[in-house]
Amino acid sequence: MDYAVTLLGLAVVHLLAVASPGPSTVLVIQTAAVSGRRAGLLAAFAMMLGALVWAAAALYGLQVVFARFEWLYLAFRIAGALYLLYLAYMLLRHAGAPLPEADPSVDRAGAWQGFLKALLLQLSNPKVMVFMGSIFISLLPAQPPAWMDTTVLAIVAFNEFAWFALLALVFSGGAARAFYRRTKLWLDRLMGGVLGLLGARLLVTEI
């Protein structure tokens, strides 16, 4: 029973963290609105995969490596910040471009591009691992059984995909895409600005 309560608490805390606005939210919304449902769901799947990598790293000790080799953590953080700034630049640069019309071949290519962008975004941010490590240390027993590690990873996978898939389904709908088409210039500028600020913050702040 204690294990069940612990896992429930972890699931709630993690879901609240996933649902908080950040670069992942911006990217999934923008991908779904521009490239449609398939691209949005693939981006959601990529977010889940990236989160699983960092969750496994937190469970199995990569934090110790980062603590031992601070330059490695710094390198990851700088890479993540530069990637956010790159995404911001691309959004701002193409803000005035019209939303492309649906084309099955282009949609497939765009969907996989969205998947790659999302995966790189999630993998280039070591703060995800640091956060997960902190909640794992706070909520999990010191020596959890092996099945509990597997359950934790399953919870992370479910929360990540469920939330980002929900965003993808909402923002790939006809009404959402029509709104995005009308306001693309300003929305892209807003989202580009948000990503740029987050990238700059990642460069200058520490955990």
Side-chain angles (χ1 to χ4, degrees):
M1 182 62 183
D2 289 342
Y3 284 152
V5 172
T6 297
L7 290 171
L8 178 60
L10 185 142
V12 171
V13 171
H14 177 255
L15 182 59
L16 290 174
V18 173
S20 63
S24 301
T25 302
V26 173
L27 186 61
V28 171
I29 288 175
Q30 198 266 344
T31 300
V34 171
S35 301
R37 179 177 302 173
R38 175 186 170 87
L41 290 175
L42 275 173
F45 184 67
M47 292 298 178
M48 181 198 76
L49 289 180
L52 276 177
V53 169
W54 286 126
L59 281 173
Y60 301 119
L62 187 58
Q63 280 181 295
V64 176
V65 176
F66 277 162
R68 172 84 170 136
F69 302 102
E70 293 184 8
W71 63 267
L72 183 59
Y73 174 76
L74 180 63
F76 266 92
R77 204 179 74 208
I78 291 173
L82 292 177
Y83 187 60
L84 280 176
L85 292 172
Y86 165 75
L87 292 177
Y89 168 74
M90 294 302 291
L91 269 175
L92 293 170
R93 180 182 177 186
H94 299 290
L99 193 65
E101 297 299 327
D103 179 332
S105 61
V106 173
D107 283 352
R108 282 192 293 271
W112 286 108
Q113 287 174 3
F115 172 86
L116 184 59
K117 279 184 182 180
L119 185 60
L120 287 174
L121 175 66
Q122 197 77 313
L123 291 178
S124 64
N125 186 4
K127 286 193 172 186
V128 176
M129 185 207 65
V130 174
F131 165 76
M132 288 189 180
S134 68
I135 63 172
F136 293 167
I137 290 171
S138 300
L139 298 175
L140 295 180
Q143 294 182 325
W147 67 264
M148 199 170 191
D149 287 346
T150 304
T151 306
V152 167
L153 294 178
I155 288 170
V156 169
F158 177 82
N159 282 349
E160 294 276 343
F161 185 74
W163 174 252
F164 289 117
L166 176 63
L167 290 180
L169 292 174
V170 169
F171 287 93
S172 63
R177 293 197 77 188
F179 174 76
Y180 185 85
R181 189 183 300 276
R182 292 194 304 271
T183 59
K184 181 178 182 298
L185 175 64
W186 297 106
L187 283 179
D188 279 6
R189 286 177 176 175
L190 175 63
M191 289 188 288
V194 169
L195 289 180
L197 288 173
L198 291 170
R201 183 172 179 268
L202 191 58
L203 274 178
V204 301
T205 61
E206 297 185 11
I207 297 179

